[in-house]
Amino acid sequence: MNILYILFILKGVDSGFYLKTMIKILLCDDSITVRKKLGNSIRSLTKCTIVEAKNGNEAVEQFNKETPDLVFMDIMMPEKDGLEAVAEIMTLHQEAKIIMLSSVGTKSNLQKALKFGALDFVQKPVDLDRLQTILETYTKEV
């Protein structure tokens, strides 16, 4: 399984978003529909390729193998949920940039995710403007 490599390109005068370097992004969600929609949304902002992880175990494995620049991770998944995966990744990689995704955004899950080291939380379905802001904010040092 490959990791998502994205080259951010200027989409037009109004986008204002341009990165000169290639970045890696890991997408993890148990729903194929959500993975496809999120991938398509990212593609609408950037020229990229997408590879998907469907649970927390795969996310941890891929993170350890590829060390991506940014991770989008669902909270509720089978085998290993996103909270467990964040905790495991952050134990070994304190520099990891993880954005949690959830359609079931309970306050306790958000607090746990931030406590474990996630940087931000996005409600599904992800708004395109919010996605662009996340990408700009957390990839500007790449």
Side-chain angles (χ1 to χ4, degrees):
M1 185 177 288
N2 296 328
I3 267 308
L4 162 70
Y5 289 91
I6 298 183
L7 175 60
F8 287 93
I9 60 171
L10 187 62
K11 294 286 289 175
V13 177
D14 295 327
S15 77
F17 182 40
Y18 179 67
L19 286 178
K20 295 179 182 174
T21 59
M22 186 81 75
I23 67 168
K24 296 179 192 177
I25 296 179
L26 172 60
L27 302 178
C28 184
D29 196 293
D30 59 319
S31 167
I32 191 168
T33 302
V34 170
R35 293 193 312 263
K36 296 298 181 195
K37 285 182 180 181
L38 181 57
N40 289 339
S41 294
I42 292 171
R43 283 188 192 99
S44 76
L45 297 171
T46 67
K47 179 179 171 123
C48 64
T49 58
I50 304 283
V51 176
E52 305 155 359
K54 65 180 182 274
N55 61 54
N57 286 328
E58 286 184 12
V60 170
E61 180 182 311
Q62 288 299 328
F63 194 97
N64 289 331
K65 180 179 174 185
E66 300 291 340
T67 318
D69 299 298
L70 186 63
V71 177
F72 288 93
M73 184 158 345
D74 189 21
I75 290 179
M76 306 301 284
M77 295 182 290
E79 294 183 35
K80 180 179 288 182
D81 69 28
L83 296 174
E84 294 171 304
V86 168
E88 188 171 338
I89 289 169
M90 294 305 294
T91 298
L92 299 171
H93 307 277
Q94 292 83 24
E95 74 288 351
K97 295 179 181 177
I98 303 174
I99 310 302
M100 302 308 293
L101 301 168
S102 185
S103 53
V104 191
T106 67
K107 189 174 183 178
S108 71
N109 281 341
L110 172 57
Q111 290 171 340
K112 286 178 188 174
L114 296 174
K115 178 182 173 193
F116 293 151
L119 296 175
D120 215 329
F121 185 88
V122 179
Q123 194 75 28
K124 294 188 285 187
V126 179
D127 174 75
L128 198 57
D129 290 334
R130 176 77 170 121
L131 181 60
Q132 182 167 347
T133 300
I134 291 284
L135 293 170
E136 289 172 357
T137 301
Y138 297 108
T139 61
K140 63 183 168 192
E141 295 127 16
V142 177

